Amino acid sequence: MARLVYLDEGMRSLYADWPQKTRDVAAYLRLDAGRHPDDPETAALLDELSAASAEFRPAWAEHHLKDKTHGRYVYRHPVVGEVDLGFETLRLPDDPDQALIAHTVEEGSPSHTALRLLASWAEETRPVA
């Protein structure tokens, strides 16, 4: 996810508040790096992002820690516009590195309508078997 957020130009337009998303991702990554300080893959990712992303370096330098427990993000979809989704993260007590993230939307909201439109569109464009 960190590579996508920092290195994929398309992600900038996906998040309504992309600068906040970059800070959140750096804080999640810092927490993970603290849990696994000797992980060579994490170290390599940090080196890669530091070298390739001008946005990563100041976000990382803030030294914030954050766990992805719950919250919301507003996404910009090219077809249906803004979609406001809440999320909850469910973790296994014996393995905090495993997580299931469930996104939710308020029934009857414009975001709910947008998701229904996307689901309908996906159904219509699915190839017939």
Side-chain angles (χ1 to χ4, degrees):
M1 183 62 152
R3 279 187 185 92
L4 282 173
V5 168
Y6 285 105
L7 304 179
D8 184 329
E9 288 294 321
M11 296 299 277
R12 290 176 189 262
S13 62
L14 176 63
Y15 292 94
D17 190 353
W18 185 77
Q20 181 60 50
K21 180 64 177 179
T22 64
R23 290 188 297 275
D24 287 350
V25 169
Y28 301 148
L29 188 54
R30 185 171 286 284
L31 181 65
D32 190 61
R35 283 187 190 142
H36 309 287
D38 298 322
D39 180 41
E41 290 180 15
T42 300
L45 175 61
L46 295 173
D47 289 344
E48 176 186 354
L49 295 175
S50 293
S53 173
E55 292 82 8
F56 176 75
R57 292 186 293 274
W60 185 253
E62 290 177 2
H63 294 276
H64 290 158
L65 298 173
K66 188 172 186 179
D67 197 0
K68 188 171 189 161
T69 56
H70 65 279
R72 58 188 333 97
Y73 287 111
V74 178
Y75 300 89
R76 290 188 192 121
H77 191 278
V79 174
V80 297
E82 287 194 351
V83 181
D84 184 350
L85 297 179
F87 67 86
E88 294 283 338
T89 302
L90 310 168
R91 295 190 190 277
L92 297 173
D94 293 337
D95 190 355
D97 289 333
Q98 294 292 319
L100 173 66
I101 301 169
H103 286 86
T104 59
V105 65
E106 186 177 328
E107 191 169 341
S109 69
S111 295
H112 182 246
T113 302
L115 289 178
R116 290 180 62 89
L117 284 170
L118 286 173
S120 174
W121 178 61
E123 187 65 30
E124 289 175 12
T125 59
R126 186 181 340 167
V128 177

